[in-house]
Amino acid sequence: MTTTPAFKFMKLPYLARRHVVSVMTTNEQINYSLISRNSKRLVQCVTKTPDYFEATIQGQIICLDTNLEDMKHLKLVFLPELRLGTCQVPVAPLVVKSAISCRGCELEKAEFSTRDWIDHLVDIFHCKTLKLIFDQGSAYYDLVSIRDLFQGFDIIGLAIQDTNREHALKIFRMFKPVRQLSIIRVQFERKDMEHMRGVVFQKYDYFKLAGSFTVDIGTIMNMDCAILEIWRSNMSTMDLNAFIRRWMAGNIKCWNLETLTITILRANLPVNYQQQIFHEIRHSVVKKDRYREFRMPIDTVSWKNVGEIIGQYEIEGENERKATIQLDVQGLDFRFKFVFFHDILTL
């Protein structure tokens, strides 16, 4: 039985090696960059620069990702002694896994600390912009140690989800201001609302609220936000009608608003919901073959996943301001989507 001799990749000319590395997937490039200083330098020459890193903090895992489409996240796995609010981020991970396959593979770099792994990704991707996601289990960590771990990054976004209210309030105080904020399934109490009003009325490029506390149309009209998403709202079709009327009349303060998405459980809608939404509102119906395709400057699930478009409608307000409204459904949800910033539309 003959054996195939090992392919001596490092013996290839530089330009040939550079070409091979350039066609690797993002995770393959990360793996290759760990071999030596020369391999790291080669990867630095060919990698795409992402818009941002994403770090998801969980109980025993920190996931590192980018917005590059083909990248599969890296998992830094720890075994900290879990005590609420007191755990320091361990100096080094127990293991680092690259989710290239379902099972993933372990990356070898025993001398790397937790910060070294982060700095290595920063070096090869030429990016220090960060979105921090505090997920279930993140409340075990001391927030100062999380802040110190990402010292030097431009933190543009926060997502706080499936954690307790005390932890969420501490995050708001420590990480501010940010341009993008998501609050998902955090159960605040009535006594927190004064503080949360201060959070809601800051200026945002993107704000998402889901399953945490209610906001009404009056609050939306006073928010300073470009892209706003309110999920599983208890608003009625008449509330949506009131929003359209006030926008058309110019009776709003949210002049920066570009898109508004409000989702409502389909089971809570009346049969004639379309008529109620547009009751006594002058509008035109877009023909199905003339529907516009919406491309958001910030990628969101509500725009990426659309089950069925019920209709698109055009309205015009004071000073010839025009907007498009899309009604669509996905799963159990009905979505009211208002779009004013027409540069994000393509035919």
mmCIF file of all heavy atoms in Angstrom, residues 240 244 260-262 273-274 277-278 284 286 290-296 302-315 323-329 334-340 345:
data_model
loop_
_atom_site.group_PDB
_atom_site.id
_atom_site.type_symbol
_atom_site.label_atom_id
_atom_site.label_comp_id
_atom_site.label_asym_id
_atom_site.label_seq_id
_atom_site.Cartn_x
_atom_site.Cartn_y
_atom_site.Cartn_z
ATOM 1 N N LEU A 240 -51.677 52.285 15.406
ATOM 2 C CA LEU A 240 -50.909 52.416 14.172
ATOM 3 C C LEU A 240 -51.507 53.504 13.286
ATOM 4 O O LEU A 240 -50.779 54.287 12.654
ATOM 5 C CB LEU A 240 -50.873 51.077 13.430
ATOM 6 C CG LEU A 240 -50.304 49.879 14.204
ATOM 7 C CD1 LEU A 240 -50.328 48.628 13.348
ATOM 8 C CD2 LEU A 240 -48.884 50.166 14.689
ATOM 9 N N ILE A 244 -49.591 57.025 11.921
ATOM 10 C CA ILE A 244 -49.541 57.499 10.533
ATOM 11 C C ILE A 244 -50.079 58.922 10.433
ATOM 12 O O ILE A 244 -49.488 59.790 9.776
ATOM 13 C CB ILE A 244 -50.341 56.552 9.610
ATOM 14 C CG1 ILE A 244 -49.749 55.142 9.637
ATOM 15 C CG2 ILE A 244 -50.347 57.083 8.178
ATOM 16 C CD1 ILE A 244 -50.588 54.106 8.917
ATOM 17 N N LEU A 260 -39.538 52.171 11.189
ATOM 18 C CA LEU A 260 -40.204 51.715 12.411
ATOM 19 C C LEU A 260 -40.851 50.370 12.121
ATOM 20 O O LEU A 260 -41.601 50.227 11.156
ATOM 21 C CB LEU A 260 -41.281 52.716 12.848
ATOM 22 C CG LEU A 260 -42.259 52.242 13.934
ATOM 23 C CD1 LEU A 260 -41.528 52.005 15.252
ATOM 24 C CD2 LEU A 260 -43.397 53.242 14.111
ATOM 25 N N THR A 261 -40.535 49.379 12.943
ATOM 26 C CA THR A 261 -41.156 48.063 12.829
ATOM 27 C C THR A 261 -41.872 47.752 14.141
ATOM 28 O O THR A 261 -41.256 47.806 15.208
ATOM 29 C CB THR A 261 -40.118 46.960 12.551
ATOM 30 O OG1 THR A 261 -39.426 47.260 11.347
ATOM 31 C CG2 THR A 261 -40.793 45.596 12.425
ATOM 32 N N ILE A 262 -43.155 47.443 14.053
ATOM 33 C CA ILE A 262 -43.943 47.053 15.219
ATOM 34 C C ILE A 262 -44.547 45.690 14.923
ATOM 35 O O ILE A 262 -45.242 45.519 13.917
ATOM 36 C CB ILE A 262 -45.049 48.073 15.529
ATOM 37 C CG1 ILE A 262 -44.433 49.428 15.888
ATOM 38 C CG2 ILE A 262 -45.941 47.582 16.669
ATOM 39 C CD1 ILE A 262 -45.451 50.539 16.105
ATOM 40 N N TYR A 273 -58.183 44.399 9.916
ATOM 41 C CA TYR A 273 -57.086 45.209 10.444
ATOM 42 C C TYR A 273 -56.525 46.184 9.409
ATOM 43 O O TYR A 273 -56.123 47.303 9.754
ATOM 44 C CB TYR A 273 -55.975 44.322 11.007
ATOM 45 C CG TYR A 273 -55.231 43.474 9.996
ATOM 46 C CD1 TYR A 273 -54.110 43.968 9.347
ATOM 47 C CD2 TYR A 273 -55.643 42.179 9.708
ATOM 48 C CE1 TYR A 273 -53.413 43.204 8.438
ATOM 49 C CE2 TYR A 273 -54.965 41.405 8.787
ATOM 50 C CZ TYR A 273 -53.848 41.915 8.151
ATOM 51 O OH TYR A 273 -53.169 41.147 7.239
ATOM 52 N N GLN A 274 -56.469 45.797 8.130
ATOM 53 C CA GLN A 274 -55.929 46.699 7.111
ATOM 54 C C GLN A 274 -56.790 47.954 6.982
ATOM 55 O O GLN A 274 -56.270 49.073 6.897
ATOM 56 C CB GLN A 274 -55.843 45.985 5.764
ATOM 57 C CG GLN A 274 -54.821 44.858 5.749
ATOM 58 C CD GLN A 274 -54.769 44.169 4.401
ATOM 59 O OE1 GLN A 274 -54.371 44.764 3.403
ATOM 60 N NE2 GLN A 274 -55.200 42.920 4.352
ATOM 61 N N ILE A 277 -56.158 50.208 10.023
ATOM 62 C CA ILE A 277 -54.871 50.897 10.001
ATOM 63 C C ILE A 277 -54.916 52.125 9.096
ATOM 64 O O ILE A 277 -54.387 53.192 9.430
ATOM 65 C CB ILE A 277 -53.749 49.937 9.556
ATOM 66 C CG1 ILE A 277 -53.496 48.869 10.630
ATOM 67 C CG2 ILE A 277 -52.448 50.704 9.270
ATOM 68 C CD1 ILE A 277 -52.548 47.770 10.203
ATOM 69 N N PHE A 278 -55.582 51.998 7.948
ATOM 70 C CA PHE A 278 -55.607 53.087 6.970
ATOM 71 C C PHE A 278 -56.935 53.836 6.954
ATOM 72 O O PHE A 278 -57.234 54.555 6.000
ATOM 73 C CB PHE A 278 -55.298 52.542 5.575
ATOM 74 C CG PHE A 278 -53.881 52.050 5.437
ATOM 75 C CD1 PHE A 278 -53.596 50.693 5.511
ATOM 76 C CD2 PHE A 278 -52.837 52.935 5.261
ATOM 77 C CE1 PHE A 278 -52.301 50.231 5.391
ATOM 78 C CE2 PHE A 278 -51.525 52.490 5.143
ATOM 79 C CZ PHE A 278 -51.253 51.135 5.213
ATOM 80 N N SER A 284 -51.830 55.292 -1.292
ATOM 81 C CA SER A 284 -51.911 54.543 -2.545
ATOM 82 C C SER A 284 -51.383 53.131 -2.309
ATOM 83 O O SER A 284 -50.454 52.928 -1.523
ATOM 84 C CB SER A 284 -51.108 55.228 -3.653
ATOM 85 O OG SER A 284 -49.744 55.346 -3.290
ATOM 86 N N VAL A 286 -49.478 49.861 -3.556
ATOM 87 C CA VAL A 286 -48.447 49.460 -4.513
ATOM 88 C C VAL A 286 -48.834 48.113 -5.118
ATOM 89 O O VAL A 286 -49.174 47.173 -4.395
ATOM 90 C CB VAL A 286 -47.070 49.356 -3.826
ATOM 91 C CG1 VAL A 286 -45.995 48.932 -4.827
ATOM 92 C CG2 VAL A 286 -46.702 50.682 -3.156
ATOM 93 N N ARG A 290 -44.774 45.692 -8.374
ATOM 94 C CA ARG A 290 -43.994 46.908 -8.162
ATOM 95 C C ARG A 290 -43.484 47.019 -6.725
ATOM 96 O O ARG A 290 -42.988 48.069 -6.319
ATOM 97 C CB ARG A 290 -44.845 48.147 -8.492
ATOM 98 C CG ARG A 290 -45.365 48.199 -9.914
ATOM 99 C CD ARG A 290 -44.269 48.558 -10.873
ATOM 100 N NE ARG A 290 -43.766 49.904 -10.655
ATOM 101 C CZ ARG A 290 -42.725 50.419 -11.288
ATOM 102 N NH1 ARG A 290 -42.063 49.686 -12.156
ATOM 103 N NH2 ARG A 290 -42.334 51.658 -11.040
ATOM 104 N N TYR A 291 -43.607 45.918 -5.959
ATOM 105 C CA TYR A 291 -43.123 45.946 -4.584
ATOM 106 C C TYR A 291 -41.639 46.316 -4.556
ATOM 107 O O TYR A 291 -40.848 45.890 -5.399
ATOM 108 C CB TYR A 291 -43.289 44.575 -3.916
ATOM 109 C CG TYR A 291 -44.680 44.279 -3.419
ATOM 110 C CD1 TYR A 291 -44.983 43.025 -2.884
ATOM 111 C CD2 TYR A 291 -45.697 45.222 -3.476
ATOM 112 C CE1 TYR A 291 -46.261 42.728 -2.413
ATOM 113 C CE2 TYR A 291 -46.972 44.937 -3.019
ATOM 114 C CZ TYR A 291 -47.241 43.698 -2.503
ATOM 115 O OH TYR A 291 -48.503 43.405 -2.051
ATOM 116 N N ARG A 292 -41.280 47.098 -3.562
ATOM 117 C CA ARG A 292 -39.891 47.465 -3.352
ATOM 118 C C ARG A 292 -39.209 46.437 -2.451
ATOM 119 O O ARG A 292 -39.847 45.850 -1.584
ATOM 120 C CB ARG A 292 -39.794 48.849 -2.709
ATOM 121 C CG ARG A 292 -40.326 49.982 -3.572
ATOM 122 C CD ARG A 292 -40.277 51.277 -2.783
ATOM 123 N NE ARG A 292 -40.813 52.397 -3.533
ATOM 124 C CZ ARG A 292 -40.091 53.212 -4.289
ATOM 125 N NH1 ARG A 292 -38.798 53.001 -4.394
ATOM 126 N NH2 ARG A 292 -40.650 54.214 -4.938
ATOM 127 N N GLU A 293 -37.918 46.272 -2.667
ATOM 128 C CA GLU A 293 -37.121 45.407 -1.786
ATOM 129 C C GLU A 293 -36.371 46.298 -0.807
ATOM 130 O O GLU A 293 -35.663 47.216 -1.206
ATOM 131 C CB GLU A 293 -36.123 44.575 -2.589
ATOM 132 C CG GLU A 293 -35.275 43.654 -1.726
ATOM 133 C CD GLU A 293 -34.244 42.905 -2.542
ATOM 134 O OE1 GLU A 293 -34.262 43.018 -3.788
ATOM 135 O OE2 GLU A 293 -33.404 42.219 -1.929
ATOM 136 N N PHE A 294 -36.538 46.027 0.464
ATOM 137 C CA PHE A 294 -35.934 46.859 1.502
ATOM 138 C C PHE A 294 -34.576 46.287 1.913
ATOM 139 O O PHE A 294 -34.472 45.111 2.242
ATOM 140 C CB PHE A 294 -36.841 46.919 2.736
ATOM 141 C CG PHE A 294 -38.150 47.614 2.488
ATOM 142 C CD1 PHE A 294 -39.204 46.949 1.881
ATOM 143 C CD2 PHE A 294 -38.333 48.932 2.858
ATOM 144 C CE1 PHE A 294 -40.410 47.581 1.648
ATOM 145 C CE2 PHE A 294 -39.532 49.579 2.629
ATOM 146 C CZ PHE A 294 -40.578 48.900 2.018
ATOM 147 N N ARG A 295 -33.581 47.146 1.891
ATOM 148 C CA ARG A 295 -32.248 46.751 2.364
ATOM 149 C C ARG A 295 -31.865 47.702 3.491
ATOM 150 O O ARG A 295 -31.664 48.890 3.270
ATOM 151 C CB ARG A 295 -31.228 46.801 1.228
ATOM 152 C CG ARG A 295 -31.548 45.858 0.085
ATOM 153 C CD ARG A 295 -30.405 45.814 -0.920
ATOM 154 N NE ARG A 295 -30.768 45.033 -2.084
ATOM 155 C CZ ARG A 295 -30.712 43.707 -2.151
ATOM 156 N NH1 ARG A 295 -30.287 43.023 -1.107
ATOM 157 N NH2 ARG A 295 -31.070 43.074 -3.251
ATOM 158 N N MET A 296 -31.777 47.154 4.671
ATOM 159 C CA MET A 296 -31.533 47.985 5.841
ATOM 160 C C MET A 296 -30.039 48.259 6.047
ATOM 161 O O MET A 296 -29.211 47.370 5.810
ATOM 162 C CB MET A 296 -32.081 47.296 7.102
ATOM 163 C CG MET A 296 -33.588 47.166 7.118
ATOM 164 S SD MET A 296 -34.415 48.772 7.166
ATOM 165 C CE MET A 296 -35.144 48.810 5.522
ATOM 166 N N SER A 302 -36.101 41.010 11.419
ATOM 167 C CA SER A 302 -37.449 41.339 10.956
ATOM 168 C C SER A 302 -37.489 41.692 9.473
ATOM 169 O O SER A 302 -38.514 41.529 8.818
ATOM 170 C CB SER A 302 -38.032 42.495 11.776
ATOM 171 O OG SER A 302 -37.274 43.665 11.592
ATOM 172 N N TRP A 303 -36.367 42.174 8.939
ATOM 173 C CA TRP A 303 -36.317 42.487 7.512
ATOM 174 C C TRP A 303 -35.738 41.337 6.703
ATOM 175 O O TRP A 303 -36.055 41.166 5.525
ATOM 176 C CB TRP A 303 -35.485 43.749 7.282
ATOM 177 C CG TRP A 303 -36.173 44.984 7.770
ATOM 178 C CD1 TRP A 303 -35.977 45.630 8.952
ATOM 179 C CD2 TRP A 303 -37.199 45.715 7.092
ATOM 180 N NE1 TRP A 303 -36.804 46.713 9.057
ATOM 181 C CE2 TRP A 303 -37.559 46.798 7.925
ATOM 182 C CE3 TRP A 303 -37.841 45.574 5.858
ATOM 183 C CZ2 TRP A 303 -38.532 47.724 7.571
ATOM 184 C CZ3 TRP A 303 -38.807 46.495 5.499
ATOM 185 C CH2 TRP A 303 -39.142 47.548 6.345
ATOM 186 N N LYS A 304 -34.871 40.546 7.317
ATOM 187 C CA LYS A 304 -34.243 39.436 6.600
ATOM 188 C C LYS A 304 -35.237 38.305 6.371
ATOM 189 O O LYS A 304 -35.246 37.665 5.310
ATOM 190 C CB LYS A 304 -33.041 38.924 7.407
ATOM 191 C CG LYS A 304 -32.229 37.847 6.696
ATOM 192 C CD LYS A 304 -31.162 37.272 7.614
ATOM 193 C CE LYS A 304 -30.174 38.326 8.052
ATOM 194 N NZ LYS A 304 -29.084 37.757 8.886
ATOM 195 N N ASN A 305 -36.075 38.022 7.371
ATOM 196 C CA ASN A 305 -37.017 36.904 7.289
ATOM 197 C C ASN A 305 -38.442 37.429 7.149
ATOM 198 O O ASN A 305 -38.985 38.016 8.080
ATOM 199 C CB ASN A 305 -36.914 36.024 8.543
ATOM 200 C CG ASN A 305 -35.508 35.471 8.740
ATOM 201 O OD1 ASN A 305 -34.802 35.216 7.775
ATOM 202 N ND2 ASN A 305 -35.096 35.301 9.976
ATOM 203 N N VAL A 306 -39.018 37.222 5.985
ATOM 204 C CA VAL A 306 -40.393 37.647 5.720
ATOM 205 C C VAL A 306 -41.166 36.467 5.153
ATOM 206 O O VAL A 306 -40.794 35.924 4.107
ATOM 207 C CB VAL A 306 -40.441 38.835 4.726
ATOM 208 C CG1 VAL A 306 -41.881 39.209 4.415
ATOM 209 C CG2 VAL A 306 -39.693 40.027 5.290
ATOM 210 N N GLY A 307 -42.218 36.054 5.872
ATOM 211 C CA GLY A 307 -43.014 34.925 5.400
ATOM 212 C C GLY A 307 -43.862 35.295 4.196
ATOM 213 O O GLY A 307 -43.805 34.646 3.146
ATOM 214 N N GLU A 308 -44.642 36.367 4.326
ATOM 215 C CA GLU A 308 -45.527 36.807 3.241
ATOM 216 C C GLU A 308 -45.783 38.305 3.382
ATOM 217 O O GLU A 308 -46.046 38.806 4.475
ATOM 218 C CB GLU A 308 -46.866 36.063 3.295
ATOM 219 C CG GLU A 308 -47.860 36.491 2.236
ATOM 220 C CD GLU A 308 -49.233 35.872 2.418
ATOM 221 O OE1 GLU A 308 -49.412 35.105 3.400
ATOM 222 O OE2 GLU A 308 -50.124 36.160 1.603
ATOM 223 N N ILE A 309 -45.667 39.017 2.273
ATOM 224 C CA ILE A 309 -46.002 40.433 2.254
ATOM 225 C C ILE A 309 -47.496 40.572 1.986
ATOM 226 O O ILE A 309 -48.002 40.115 0.955
ATOM 227 C CB ILE A 309 -45.192 41.194 1.188
ATOM 228 C CG1 ILE A 309 -43.694 41.124 1.516
ATOM 229 C CG2 ILE A 309 -45.645 42.652 1.104
ATOM 230 C CD1 ILE A 309 -42.805 41.777 0.470
ATOM 231 N N ILE A 310 -48.198 41.188 2.925
ATOM 232 C CA ILE A 310 -49.635 41.411 2.769
ATOM 233 C C ILE A 310 -49.888 42.580 1.816
ATOM 234 O O ILE A 310 -50.797 42.549 0.987
ATOM 235 C CB ILE A 310 -50.296 41.705 4.135
ATOM 236 C CG1 ILE A 310 -50.017 40.554 5.116
ATOM 237 C CG2 ILE A 310 -51.791 41.948 3.974
ATOM 238 C CD1 ILE A 310 -50.533 39.213 4.651
ATOM 239 N N GLY A 311 -49.064 43.607 1.914
ATOM 240 C CA GLY A 311 -49.233 44.749 1.033
ATOM 241 C C GLY A 311 -48.205 45.825 1.301
ATOM 242 O O GLY A 311 -47.599 45.884 2.379
ATOM 243 N N GLN A 312 -47.997 46.676 0.294
ATOM 244 C CA GLN A 312 -47.176 47.873 0.458
ATOM 245 C C GLN A 312 -48.022 49.084 0.074
ATOM 246 O O GLN A 312 -48.813 49.032 -0.871
ATOM 247 C CB GLN A 312 -45.915 47.813 -0.407
ATOM 248 C CG GLN A 312 -44.867 46.841 0.100
ATOM 249 C CD GLN A 312 -43.558 46.943 -0.680
ATOM 250 O OE1 GLN A 312 -43.434 47.708 -1.633
ATOM 251 N NE2 GLN A 312 -42.577 46.139 -0.272
ATOM 252 N N TYR A 313 -47.825 50.167 0.824
ATOM 253 C CA TYR A 313 -48.668 51.357 0.677
ATOM 254 C C TYR A 313 -47.773 52.589 0.752
ATOM 255 O O TYR A 313 -46.786 52.603 1.500
ATOM 256 C CB TYR A 313 -49.726 51.410 1.781
ATOM 257 C CG TYR A 313 -50.441 50.093 1.983
ATOM 258 C CD1 TYR A 313 -49.889 49.109 2.815
ATOM 259 C CD2 TYR A 313 -51.635 49.810 1.337
ATOM 260 C CE1 TYR A 313 -50.520 47.884 2.989
ATOM 261 C CE2 TYR A 313 -52.279 48.594 1.519
ATOM 262 C CZ TYR A 313 -51.711 47.638 2.340
ATOM 263 O OH TYR A 313 -52.341 46.425 2.513
ATOM 264 N N GLU A 314 -48.129 53.603 -0.004
ATOM 265 C CA GLU A 314 -47.373 54.844 0.013
ATOM 266 C C GLU A 314 -48.232 55.975 0.558
ATOM 267 O O GLU A 314 -49.420 56.071 0.236
ATOM 268 C CB GLU A 314 -46.870 55.177 -1.392
ATOM 269 C CG GLU A 314 -45.835 54.162 -1.893
ATOM 270 C CD GLU A 314 -45.333 54.466 -3.288
ATOM 271 O OE1 GLU A 314 -45.972 55.288 -3.980
ATOM 272 O OE2 GLU A 314 -44.311 53.868 -3.684
ATOM 273 N N ILE A 315 -47.607 56.798 1.410
ATOM 274 C CA ILE A 315 -48.307 57.939 1.990
ATOM 275 C C ILE A 315 -47.449 59.183 1.802
ATOM 276 O O ILE A 315 -46.242 59.084 1.547
ATOM 277 C CB ILE A 315 -48.604 57.731 3.492
ATOM 278 C CG1 ILE A 315 -47.294 57.510 4.281
ATOM 279 C CG2 ILE A 315 -49.573 56.571 3.707
ATOM 280 C CD1 ILE A 315 -47.474 57.457 5.780
ATOM 281 N N ALA A 323 -43.407 58.336 2.473
ATOM 282 C CA ALA A 323 -43.008 57.131 3.207
ATOM 283 C C ALA A 323 -43.716 55.926 2.609
ATOM 284 O O ALA A 323 -44.748 56.054 1.942
ATOM 285 C CB ALA A 323 -43.348 57.262 4.689
ATOM 286 N N THR A 324 -43.126 54.771 2.832
ATOM 287 C CA THR A 324 -43.719 53.499 2.405
ATOM 288 C C THR A 324 -44.036 52.674 3.643
ATOM 289 O O THR A 324 -43.242 52.632 4.584
ATOM 290 C CB THR A 324 -42.747 52.721 1.497
ATOM 291 O OG1 THR A 324 -42.447 53.513 0.347
ATOM 292 C CG2 THR A 324 -43.357 51.395 1.053
ATOM 293 N N ILE A 325 -45.194 52.034 3.630
ATOM 294 C CA ILE A 325 -45.590 51.142 4.722
ATOM 295 C C ILE A 325 -45.732 49.737 4.154
ATOM 296 O O ILE A 325 -46.402 49.536 3.124
ATOM 297 C CB ILE A 325 -46.908 51.600 5.373
ATOM 298 C CG1 ILE A 325 -46.696 52.943 6.086
ATOM 299 C CG2 ILE A 325 -47.420 50.544 6.368
ATOM 300 C CD1 ILE A 325 -47.966 53.569 6.601
ATOM 301 N N GLN A 326 -45.085 48.792 4.791
ATOM 302 C CA GLN A 326 -45.227 47.388 4.406
ATOM 303 C C GLN A 326 -45.879 46.624 5.543
ATOM 304 O O GLN A 326 -45.457 46.730 6.689
ATOM 305 C CB GLN A 326 -43.870 46.763 4.073
ATOM 306 C CG GLN A 326 -43.944 45.262 3.756
ATOM 307 C CD GLN A 326 -42.635 44.710 3.243
ATOM 308 O OE1 GLN A 326 -42.097 45.193 2.258
ATOM 309 N NE2 GLN A 326 -42.102 43.694 3.917
ATOM 310 N N LEU A 327 -46.902 45.859 5.219
ATOM 311 C CA LEU A 327 -47.520 44.938 6.160
ATOM 312 C C LEU A 327 -47.123 43.527 5.742
ATOM 313 O O LEU A 327 -47.324 43.140 4.584
ATOM 314 C CB LEU A 327 -49.052 45.081 6.148
ATOM 315 C CG LEU A 327 -49.620 46.492 6.368
ATOM 316 C CD1 LEU A 327 -51.146 46.439 6.374
ATOM 317 C CD2 LEU A 327 -49.115 47.107 7.660
ATOM 318 N N ASP A 328 -46.529 42.776 6.667
ATOM 319 C CA ASP A 328 -46.161 41.402 6.333
ATOM 320 C C ASP A 328 -46.320 40.509 7.553
ATOM 321 O O ASP A 328 -46.598 40.987 8.665
ATOM 322 C CB ASP A 328 -44.750 41.321 5.739
ATOM 323 C CG ASP A 328 -43.645 41.754 6.703
ATOM 324 O OD1 ASP A 328 -43.653 41.294 7.862
ATOM 325 O OD2 ASP A 328 -42.778 42.550 6.304
ATOM 326 N N VAL A 329 -46.174 39.220 7.340
ATOM 327 C CA VAL A 329 -46.312 38.256 8.427
ATOM 328 C C VAL A 329 -45.129 37.295 8.408
ATOM 329 O O VAL A 329 -44.534 37.033 7.363
ATOM 330 C CB VAL A 329 -47.636 37.447 8.321
ATOM 331 C CG1 VAL A 329 -48.837 38.345 8.523
ATOM 332 C CG2 VAL A 329 -47.731 36.738 6.975
ATOM 333 N N PHE A 334 -47.529 39.488 13.038
ATOM 334 C CA PHE A 334 -47.833 40.479 12.019
ATOM 335 C C PHE A 334 -46.867 41.641 12.224
ATOM 336 O O PHE A 334 -46.586 42.033 13.349
ATOM 337 C CB PHE A 334 -49.286 40.955 12.174
ATOM 338 C CG PHE A 334 -49.572 42.281 11.524
ATOM 339 C CD1 PHE A 334 -49.835 42.363 10.167
ATOM 340 C CD2 PHE A 334 -49.581 43.458 12.276
ATOM 341 C CE1 PHE A 334 -50.079 43.591 9.561
ATOM 342 C CE2 PHE A 334 -49.840 44.685 11.690
ATOM 343 C CZ PHE A 334 -50.088 44.750 10.323
ATOM 344 N N ARG A 335 -46.330 42.189 11.115
ATOM 345 C CA ARG A 335 -45.356 43.274 11.241
ATOM 346 C C ARG A 335 -45.822 44.498 10.457
ATOM 347 O O ARG A 335 -46.138 44.411 9.258
ATOM 348 C CB ARG A 335 -43.981 42.841 10.712
ATOM 349 C CG ARG A 335 -43.240 41.898 11.652
ATOM 350 C CD ARG A 335 -43.394 40.465 11.224
ATOM 351 N NE ARG A 335 -42.720 40.202 9.986
ATOM 352 C CZ ARG A 335 -41.440 39.801 9.885
ATOM 353 N NH1 ARG A 335 -40.724 39.614 10.967
ATOM 354 N NH2 ARG A 335 -40.906 39.555 8.718
ATOM 355 N N PHE A 336 -45.873 45.618 11.146
ATOM 356 C CA PHE A 336 -46.128 46.930 10.556
ATOM 357 C C PHE A 336 -44.775 47.585 10.361
ATOM 358 O O PHE A 336 -44.037 47.814 11.325
ATOM 359 C CB PHE A 336 -47.005 47.757 11.503
ATOM 360 C CG PHE A 336 -47.154 49.213 11.119
ATOM 361 C CD1 PHE A 336 -48.186 49.625 10.301
ATOM 362 C CD2 PHE A 336 -46.265 50.167 11.610
ATOM 363 C CE1 PHE A 336 -48.325 50.977 9.955
ATOM 364 C CE2 PHE A 336 -46.391 51.507 11.282
ATOM 365 C CZ PHE A 336 -47.423 51.917 10.444
ATOM 366 N N LYS A 337 -44.413 47.890 9.100
ATOM 367 C CA LYS A 337 -43.092 48.435 8.801
ATOM 368 C C LYS A 337 -43.252 49.771 8.067
ATOM 369 O O LYS A 337 -43.801 49.813 6.960
ATOM 370 C CB LYS A 337 -42.286 47.458 7.953
ATOM 371 C CG LYS A 337 -41.972 46.153 8.673
ATOM 372 C CD LYS A 337 -41.267 45.174 7.748
ATOM 373 C CE LYS A 337 -40.881 43.901 8.496
ATOM 374 N NZ LYS A 337 -40.267 42.899 7.603
ATOM 375 N N PHE A 338 -42.749 50.794 8.701
ATOM 376 C CA PHE A 338 -42.825 52.150 8.166
ATOM 377 C C PHE A 338 -41.428 52.565 7.732
ATOM 378 O O PHE A 338 -40.469 52.449 8.502
ATOM 379 C CB PHE A 338 -43.347 53.089 9.259
ATOM 380 C CG PHE A 338 -43.236 54.548 8.948
ATOM 381 C CD1 PHE A 338 -44.277 55.215 8.333
ATOM 382 C CD2 PHE A 338 -42.093 55.262 9.282
ATOM 383 C CE1 PHE A 338 -44.176 56.568 8.045
ATOM 384 C CE2 PHE A 338 -41.988 56.613 9.010
ATOM 385 C CZ PHE A 338 -43.036 57.271 8.384
ATOM 386 N N VAL A 339 -41.268 53.018 6.494
ATOM 387 C CA VAL A 339 -39.960 53.382 5.961
ATOM 388 C C VAL A 339 -40.018 54.779 5.390
ATOM 389 O O VAL A 339 -40.792 55.060 4.467
ATOM 390 C CB VAL A 339 -39.508 52.399 4.854
ATOM 391 C CG1 VAL A 339 -38.129 52.776 4.355
ATOM 392 C CG2 VAL A 339 -39.506 50.971 5.387
ATOM 393 N N PHE A 340 -39.204 55.664 5.937
ATOM 394 C CA PHE A 340 -39.169 57.052 5.482
ATOM 395 C C PHE A 340 -37.887 57.344 4.698
ATOM 396 O O PHE A 340 -37.895 58.104 3.753
ATOM 397 C CB PHE A 340 -39.284 58.003 6.678
ATOM 398 C CG PHE A 340 -39.087 59.451 6.322
ATOM 399 C CD1 PHE A 340 -39.819 60.058 5.320
ATOM 400 C CD2 PHE A 340 -38.158 60.222 7.014
ATOM 401 C CE1 PHE A 340 -39.633 61.387 4.980
ATOM 402 C CE2 PHE A 340 -37.958 61.561 6.683
ATOM 403 C CZ PHE A 340 -38.693 62.138 5.666
ATOM 404 N N LEU A 345 -34.002 51.909 -0.117
ATOM 405 C CA LEU A 345 -34.892 51.102 -0.938
ATOM 406 C C LEU A 345 -34.263 50.825 -2.284
ATOM 407 O O LEU A 345 -33.607 51.674 -2.879
ATOM 408 C CB LEU A 345 -36.226 51.828 -1.160
ATOM 409 C CG LEU A 345 -37.054 52.151 0.081
ATOM 410 C CD1 LEU A 345 -38.293 52.899 -0.337
ATOM 411 C CD2 LEU A 345 -37.423 50.892 0.802
#
